[in-house]
Amino acid sequence: MSIEDFASEEEYVAQMQTGALLNPRVDSTFKALFTQPTQESHDALHSFLEAATERKIRTFSLTASDAPSGFGGQRNVSYDIMCEFENGLAADIEMQAFNQEYDYGKRAEYQVARLETTYLKKGDDWEKAPIVYQVTVLDFNYGKDKNNEAEKNPVSRYAMRTKDGRELSNSLNIIFIELPKARGLEKSLETNTPLENWAIFLKDADNPRKRDLIDRLTDKEAGLMQARKSLSSISANRDLWIAQYRQEVADRDRRSGLSAALRKGIEQGLAKGKEEGRLEGRLEGRLEGRLEGKYETAKQMLSDRIQAEQIARWTGLSLSEIEKLSKE
């Protein structure tokens, strides 16, 4: 069910009394799923790490990563799951439930580079540079070329290579898992890769209409069975239901605010364009009105402290135009 189906926080939280499962695509729930001091949580994370890295992992440990103590609009709180494997390998895992219109490619490059420097100590020679993985689960489509067959797969793996495919180094690895694309893999559970089946699980584990699918999936793979047990266990935690509700409300409000700002700007631009078009009888008036609408949208978004890069994506204005508006 959608957050809009509930009249209050209490009504939303009352779902836990019916046996409903938390949504693993919400940051706080995603992290809780993998970081509980239980065997099923540990085994689930072990399975996910092996699927993501395509390595057999004997042992791993969680490293320091801030966990929220309360909610209160915590987009600035890190929900990353940091892991270190034997031989110094490391991974940073995160869930992105809401498309904030970042350049996620550049963001992931920054994250994986930062992870590398975290584990390369001052004075170490380059041979000690560890292999690191930035694993990002996206609850939206990142791929831009919808006609490219490769873009239909939920799993994308990136590494530094030359244009003809020669590997520069295997140290920096980025993995994107786009959950909406997993729908195309539901009929091929037996031939999917382990990470593709993880994508299906994360997309539908809390959906009662997909219970048969999740049953077949967890019967097939022990790691996913442990993940389901862990999700069921944390779904009895009232605090996690409250955190999930507040985060979903914050994300909904943010989406609504962006949409409203854009719609208002477009409407103002169209109205001005029509008026000037009637007065001058020229198309230029309409075009100028549309541009004015974009400026009004940008000004409103600036007043809401939305980042310039995001405003540029929504309005089509250049960063220099937005910077100029911010000084007016």
Side-chain angles (χ1 to χ4, degrees):
M1 296 178 71
S2 167
I3 186 74
E4 287 82 4
D5 296 322
F6 298 92
S8 66
E9 180 179 294
E10 267 311 307
E11 186 177 311
Y12 183 91
V13 173
Q15 290 181 92
M16 63 180 289
Q17 305 299 332
T18 69
L21 296 178
L22 286 161
N23 177 356
R25 298 169 301 286
V26 171
D27 296 342
S28 53
T29 302
F30 180 80
K31 183 166 186 175
L33 170 68
F34 289 119
T35 59
Q36 300 305 297
T38 62
Q39 190 64 48
E40 56 262 28
S41 183
H42 178 275
D43 290 348
L45 181 55
H46 188 185
S47 170
F48 183 81
L49 285 171
E50 288 195 335
T53 63
E54 297 184 317
R55 288 175 173 269
K56 283 295 180 184
I57 298 171
R58 290 187 301 108
T59 61
F60 71 92
S61 60
L62 290 168
T63 56
S65 180
D66 292 338
S69 56
F71 193 76
Q74 295 173 318
R75 293 305 301 184
N76 60 329
V77 173
S78 173
Y79 284 97
D80 291 15
I81 301 170
M82 301 281 288
C83 305
E84 187 172 358
F85 321 148
E86 66 266 25
N87 303 321
L89 279 68
D92 175 34
I93 305 168
E94 64 173 355
M95 165 64 71
Q96 289 289 333
F98 168 53
N99 186 357
Q100 301 189 69
E101 301 294 331
Y102 297 147
D103 185 329
Y104 283 93
K106 289 184 178 179
R107 185 180 188 278
E109 286 177 334
Y110 171 79
Q111 295 282 76
V112 77
R114 187 177 68 172
L115 187 61
E116 175 83 330
T117 58
T118 297
Y119 287 94
L120 184 64
K121 303 297 187 293
K122 185 176 181 180
D124 284 349
D125 59 42
W126 293 116
E127 294 299 318
K128 292 186 179 179
I131 297 174
V132 294
Y133 299 85
Q134 173 63 35
V135 184
T136 305
V137 183
L138 303 170
D139 195 23
F140 51 87
N141 288 332
Y142 169 74
K144 300 174 178 63
D145 185 359
K146 301 299 186 294
N147 295 319
N148 186 336
E149 194 64 30
E151 291 286 0
K152 297 178 182 179
N153 192 296
V155 178
S156 299
R157 298 179 182 274
Y158 303 91
M160 296 183 71
R161 291 183 173 86
T162 61
K163 286 187 176 180
D164 60 2
R166 288 179 291 120
E167 189 174 71
L168 177 64
S169 168
N170 68 343
S171 295
L172 306 180
N173 299 274
I174 294 171
I175 301 158
F176 280 172
I177 307 165
E178 300 168 72
L179 299 187
K181 295 180 180 178
R183 182 163 286 103
L185 299 173
E186 293 178 2
K187 296 181 180 179
S188 55
L189 302 187
E190 297 301 324
T191 56
N192 292 342
T193 67
L195 194 55
E196 288 170 345
N197 280 340
W198 263 102
I200 295 172
F201 176 84
L202 292 171
K203 179 178 69 69
D204 283 321
D206 60 317
N207 186 349
R209 292 190 295 273
K210 292 296 183 80
R211 188 164 296 168
D212 288 344
L213 172 66
I214 300 302
D215 284 345
R216 287 188 285 118
L217 203 56
T218 55
D219 287 345
K220 177 181 179 297
E221 297 189 22
L224 291 175
M225 176 63 79
Q226 294 295 78
R228 190 179 194 179
K229 290 179 180 178
S230 180
L231 183 61
S232 179
S233 177
I234 65 174
S235 294
N237 186 319
R238 177 181 173 83
D239 289 340
L240 284 173
W241 279 100
I242 292 173
Q244 178 168 292
Y245 174 82
R246 294 180 182 177
Q247 187 173 332
E248 291 202 85
V249 167
D251 284 346
R252 179 195 61 187
D253 290 347
R254 191 172 290 105
R255 283 192 294 269
S256 298
L258 289 172
S259 296
L262 181 61
R263 187 169 57 251
K264 183 177 179 181
I266 291 173
E267 289 171 353
Q268 289 174 342
L270 287 172
K272 185 169 184 177
K274 289 177 180 178
E275 180 63 22
E276 292 185 2
R278 281 195 295 268
L279 293 174
E280 299 177 14
R282 296 173 182 170
L283 180 60
E284 286 82 354
R286 292 175 181 266
L287 296 177
E288 288 176 5
R290 288 175 183 269
L291 182 59
E292 185 65 28
K294 290 183 178 182
Y295 287 155
E296 292 298 326
T297 299
K299 288 178 182 178
Q300 185 170 343
M301 295 173 83
L302 283 168
S303 70
D304 290 335
R305 298 186 178 181
I306 295 171
Q307 294 180 351
E309 291 82 358
Q310 193 167 346
I311 297 173
R313 285 178 177 274
W314 275 82
T315 63
L317 297 174
S318 68
L319 290 175
S320 61
E321 288 176 302
I322 294 169
E323 183 178 2
K324 185 178 179 181
L325 289 172
S326 69
K327 296 177 180 179
E328 291 182 357

